[in-house]
Amino acid sequence: MKHGKKYVDSAKLVERAKLYDTNEALALCVKTGSAKFDESVEVHVKLGVDSRHADQQVRGAIVLPNGTGKSVRVVAICKGDAEKAAQAAGAEHVGAEELVQKIQSEGWVDFDVLITTPDMMGLVGRLGKVLGPRGLMPNPKAGTVTQDIGKAVTEAKAGKIEYRLDKTNIIHCVIGKVSFGAEKLQANFDALLDAIVKAKPAAAKGQYIKSCVVASTMGPGVKINPSKFAQ
């Protein structure tokens, strides 16, 4: 795979075999994120679990201290007082049957988060084929199926992210933008890793965090020393 000149120049700043301390790695991400747009900073954490087993799943959600730097479009499917709470919290689209119909018949997914109340899951459950592949299906563990829909909308707007294992036992998350600087990115990174460590399944054996890499959207990956985290 051929890379552009900017990537090649950035890659020269990173020692591929070295395991960096977090602060040094994030500083390198900021330095190598030299595209003309404000690049996102991503974290990729490989865990010593097996996602094929239900008792080794790792999933949750956390509000990052400094947000993600991204404007989040929220859809709330609810009725009554919850509808008013969602509107007051700033959800872009609020409704019930009409929104379900729009998603189901038109394939409309022009939003980033869908939040609903437990009583509406009978309706929302029909949308699995549309929402599931896009990671938009609401889930109680992610806080997107809740009675307190006003709080959920507020948190989503403030930079709440969901972390979950993929089929290769890796968690992928965005923790902010290059423009945040290393200090704010460090606070977000620490919050995310703390949540992942606390979510360690009882069935997990041996080394929990196998590897951790951070990278800007267009920049090279920077490896972080996994031994720095509580196992």
Side-chain angles (χ1 to χ4, degrees):
M1 181 178 177
K2 288 189 175 181
H3 292 288
K5 184 177 182 301
K6 283 189 176 180
Y7 180 94
V8 172
D9 289 342
S10 295
K12 289 176 182 176
L13 301 173
V14 180
E15 294 180 44
R16 292 187 67 181
K18 181 176 178 179
L19 297 176
Y20 289 86
D21 285 339
T22 308
N23 57 348
E24 195 177 1
L26 291 170
L28 273 171
C29 271
V30 172
K31 194 172 183 179
T32 57
S34 55
K36 291 181 180 178
F37 64 94
D38 191 8
E39 297 180 47
S40 294
V41 175
E42 305 156 3
V43 178
H44 309 277
V45 185
K46 185 171 181 64
L47 299 182
V49 296
D50 188 341
S51 61
R52 293 173 298 177
H53 300 290
D55 62 351
Q56 293 187 48
Q57 288 293 326
V58 178
R59 181 175 187 174
I62 182 173
V63 179
L64 296 176
N66 297 300
T68 62
K70 180 183 177 182
S71 178
V72 180
R73 301 163 298 172
V74 178
V75 166
I77 294 179
C78 51
K79 289 183 176 180
D81 291 341
E83 190 173 355
K84 295 173 186 174
Q87 288 170 337
E92 276 74 12
H93 302 275
V94 182
E97 286 86 356
E98 71 279 10
L99 283 181
V100 171
Q101 179 63 25
K102 185 178 175 72
I103 294 168
Q104 195 168 31
S105 61
E106 299 176 22
W108 177 68
V109 287
D110 193 20
F111 50 88
D112 303 300
V113 179
L114 191 151
I115 298 169
T116 190
T117 47
D119 61 300
M120 298 300 290
M121 277 305 292
L123 263 178
V124 176
R126 304 173 191 170
L127 304 175
K129 287 183 180 178
V130 180
L131 300 179
R134 294 170 174 82
L136 293 170
M137 194 67 185
N139 185 286
K141 289 183 179 179
T144 45
V145 179
T146 175
Q147 292 288 6
D148 195 348
I149 206 156
K151 180 184 177 184
V153 172
T154 299
E155 288 182 343
K157 290 284 190 181
K160 186 174 187 176
I161 61 167
E162 183 182 359
Y163 57 88
R164 61 185 299 182
L165 283 178
D166 67 8
K167 290 180 180 179
T168 61
N169 304 315
I170 299 175
I171 290 174
H172 310 272
C173 286
V174 171
I175 57 164
K177 299 282 189 179
V178 165
S179 61
F180 281 21
E183 191 173 329
K184 285 186 176 181
L185 289 170
Q186 175 85 59
N188 282 355
F189 176 92
D190 288 345
L192 173 63
L193 264 291
D194 185 55
I196 291 172
V197 168
K198 286 180 179 175
K200 180 180 180 180
K205 305 298 179 186
Q207 186 177 357
Y208 180 49
I209 296 180
K210 294 283 192 179
S211 66
C212 180
V213 177
V214 292
S216 61
T217 306
M218 305 294 287
V222 185
K223 297 175 185 176
I224 291 176
N225 189 348
S227 67
K228 299 290 183 182
F229 309 113
Q231 298 296 314

